[in-house]
Amino acid sequence: MSSFTPFEEKMTAAGISTAAIKAFNRCYSSLVANESGMISEDSISPADNVAEWDEIIATTAPADKDLIAQCVCIKLNGGLGTSMGLQKAKSLLKVKGEDTFLDLIVKQVKHLREVSGTPVRLLLMNSFSTSADTLDYLKKYAADGFADANQVELMQNRVPKIAADTLTPAEYAPQPELEWCPPGHGDLYPALLGSGWLDKLLADGVKYAFISNSDNLGAQLDMKFLRWFAESCAPFVMEVTRRTEADKKGGHLAVRNSDNQLILREVAQCPDEDIPEFQNIAKHRYFNTNTLWIRLDALKEILDSNGGVLPLPMIRNSKTVNPRDGESTKVFQLETAMGAGIECFPGARAVNVPRTRFFPVKTCSDLLMLRSDAVQVDATGKVALAPERNGVAPIIDLDSKLYKLVDSLDGLGLPSLIGVTKLTLRGKFHFADGAILQGELLMENPDDATKEVAPGVYAGA
């Protein structure tokens, strides 16, 4: 029987909190027990009892100042965006003029403080990779209290990689830091508990947490929805949106037949024979946007009743200890997902939100759309599609071979996309200022030389 003791000793020596050690122990026990975590199609039903965001907003009054004061905004800020060629925190990427994700997040929270007259808190869940850069950037907001790590930082934990053949802590003498990995955003829960932030927030009268990814600028605290959430008495609400063909390989919301509890099912939890139904977007219609609303007192109660651990499903990833050396020791990296917490809260609910609350930036195509005139940002940091878009974002499909890294957009220029239905770009282009694209456009350039697009209107179907 594999022993957890070496892991506990290694994590304790590194100053990892007891809450994080307990959470990792639970995942490790699942690994040792060879638990599959599979969720078969016949064990679930489609999630149909999903409230509609638009109906809620149309019939609910805005939250008052006292209610806003009881809410904390938490942004997951641990990602580097390496897939887009970034070496710093992804939230430091410029998205509108000189404003970064982080600038717009701070503007949004400052606005909440102004309208409520209360010091609404912002917590950034940083990782060891993003903490220094983020805190250094926030010095520009020192006068507003955003630069003090003790006031704004919720530090993500790290966990040991596991040698796949022995299930012992992986060792890598050339770079000992590679013996560790992030535990996924499900670490939110042990991080809140182990850091003392959960108890501190509750002691300060903060009862509600609004949580989202820092690169999803559509996720903004809504005053009306906050009131609805508070009055619903639901302990946990997940913002979901309708799956499309582009989302069919991603996880979906479902109802567990045994207890009618809402759950998430990821593709890694789906048996091979059930994949066709997993990808049936007419049946399983909703996916998690990773924007959550949580009652902190309910979270505390569940943690206390489970020995300080939220019983999240374990996700096992097979890697090598040095990701750049395929011949190095094979390891397991164990993660948990924040959204999977929905199955831990009896009475949890889901709300179907419009895609305008879901602006993730995972590719340069996403970034170009966000930087363009199809998306507008006001003085309070509120991000929204231009009114002319009627709530429908343009589809942008850049040549992934040429426009994979952020730097590649510098030579592309920024055409007007406010009238675009779909833009497909294949080959090298440069759009001059004043280039206006409209309709559905396929623009191809087979030559190695960059094709110049002069000012003017270019209309497709």
Side-chain angles (χ1 to χ4, degrees):
M1 179 67 180
S2 301
S3 170
F4 186 71
T5 301
F7 293 95
E8 184 172 7
E9 291 173 348
K10 182 170 185 170
M11 295 176 80
T12 300
I16 308 295
S17 73
T18 299
I21 293 173
K22 284 183 175 181
F24 184 65
N25 188 3
R26 186 180 186 279
C27 287
Y28 181 74
S29 298
S30 297
L31 175 70
V32 171
N34 200 27
E35 295 179 6
S36 70
M38 290 294 174
I39 302 171
S40 63
E41 187 68 24
D42 61 9
S43 71
I44 60 173
S45 299
D48 292 325
N49 186 22
V50 176
E52 292 292 332
W53 173 275
D54 290 340
E55 293 176 8
I56 289 169
I57 299 306
T59 58
T60 307
D64 57 25
K65 295 180 180 180
D66 289 342
L67 193 51
I68 299 171
Q70 296 176 57
C71 192
V72 58
C73 295
I74 302 177
K75 296 289 182 177
L76 306 185
N77 193 54
L80 288 175
T82 50
S83 64
M84 296 173 68
L86 302 177
Q87 300 301 321
K88 290 188 175 184
K90 189 176 182 181
S91 60
L92 301 184
L93 181 63
K94 291 180 181 179
V95 288
K96 276 295 186 184
E98 293 300 307
D99 280 344
T100 65
F101 287 105
L102 204 51
D103 289 309
L104 297 179
I105 289 167
V106 168
K107 285 183 180 180
Q108 291 171 9
V109 175
K110 287 177 67 175
H111 176 65
L112 291 173
R113 292 179 175 183
E114 290 167 3
V115 298
S116 69
T118 62
V120 176
R121 284 193 182 277
L122 168 66
L123 284 185
L124 297 168
M125 186 171 164
N126 290 330
S127 65
F128 288 90
S129 301
T130 63
S131 176
D133 289 337
T134 298
L135 293 174
D136 185 61
Y137 190 83
L138 285 173
K139 289 177 181 176
K140 64 192 287 189
Y141 297 109
D144 300 302
F146 289 105
D148 183 352
N150 294 319
Q151 295 297 317
V152 299
E153 185 167 69
L154 170 65
M155 197 66 184
Q156 185 183 51
N157 293 297
R158 55 179 181 162
V159 297
K161 296 177 183 177
I162 303 167
D165 55 349
T166 61
L167 300 187
T168 57
E171 297 181 2
Y172 194 66
Q175 292 176 267
E177 67 273 14
L178 293 181
E179 298 173 4
W180 299 85
C181 61
H185 41 62
D187 183 58
L188 170 76
Y189 307 109
L192 277 171
L193 180 63
S195 65
W197 266 113
L198 181 57
D199 289 333
K200 178 176 174 54
L201 290 168
L202 288 169
D204 289 347
V206 178
K207 185 184 292 186
Y208 309 104
F210 172 67
I211 307 156
S212 60
N213 295 341
S214 63
D215 70 342
N216 177 15
L217 288 175
Q220 300 157 86
L221 191 147
D222 185 276
M223 309 290 189
K224 292 184 176 181
F225 193 81
L226 174 59
R227 177 182 288 279
W228 177 88
F229 175 51
E231 293 178 349
S232 74
C233 295
F236 183 110
V237 172
M238 173 186 289
E239 292 192 22
V240 299
T241 196
R242 290 293 293 266
R243 296 169 88 200
T244 66
E245 281 296 315
D247 311 311
K248 69 180 184 181
K249 295 182 180 179
H252 66 80
L253 193 66
V255 175
R256 189 165 53 206
N257 292 337
S258 61
D259 58 1
N260 290 322
Q261 176 67 38
L262 282 171
I263 65 169
L264 279 181
R265 181 171 69 160
E266 303 292 345
V267 69
Q269 298 170 296
C270 181
D272 290 344
E273 61 270 21
D274 289 338
I275 290 295
E277 287 301 273
F278 179 93
Q279 296 184 357
N280 184 346
I281 63 173
K283 179 178 182 180
H284 297 298
R285 297 185 294 165
Y286 303 104
F287 75 87
N288 171 28
T289 66
N290 227 33
T291 298
L292 307 177
W293 301 73
I294 297 178
R295 282 275 299 261
L296 294 179
D297 52 350
L299 173 60
K300 173 72 170 173
E301 184 178 332
I302 293 172
L303 286 168
D304 287 347
S305 64
N306 285 279
V309 177
L310 205 65
L312 299 172
M314 177 268 289
I315 301 171
R316 182 182 75 180
N317 296 307
S318 297
K319 308 274 187 178
T320 53
V321 67
N322 182 348
R324 298 181 181 274
D325 180 4
E327 299 301 313
S328 61
T329 303
K330 289 182 170 55
V331 297
F332 294 130
Q333 296 181 195
L334 304 187
E335 297 183 5
T336 56
M338 180 177 78
I342 196 169
E343 70 178 65
C344 303
F345 291 80
R349 300 184 64 175
V351 174
N352 178 35
V353 303
R355 283 271 177 158
T356 50
R357 285 190 64 80
F358 189 56
F359 279 138
V361 176
K362 306 301 181 187
T363 66
C364 287
S365 295
D366 298 332
L367 183 59
L368 180 67
M369 193 269 285
L370 191 59
R371 286 177 169 176
S372 79
D373 56 1
V375 176
Q376 298 179 351
V377 179
D378 68 16
T380 70
K382 183 179 180 181
V383 181
L385 286 171
E388 295 91 333
R389 299 295 317 171
N390 293 316
V392 180
I395 298 171
I396 310 298
D397 181 9
L398 300 183
D399 191 323
S400 59
K401 294 179 181 178
L402 297 173
Y403 301 105
K404 182 178 181 180
L405 306 181
V406 170
D407 290 349
S408 65
L409 290 183
D410 294 341
L412 183 62
L414 191 60
S416 170
L417 301 179
I418 198 168
V420 165
T421 306
K422 180 178 181 179
L423 170 65
T424 303
L425 217 58
R426 296 292 180 264
K428 297 179 182 178
F429 289 86
H430 174 259
F431 293 94
D433 291 344
I436 301 170
L437 310 185
Q438 295 178 346
E440 184 168 338
L441 286 163
L442 168 60
M443 305 182 75
E444 297 177 292
N445 175 24
D447 300 328
D448 289 336
T450 299
K451 184 174 183 178
E452 291 289 331
V453 181
V457 177
Y458 300 85

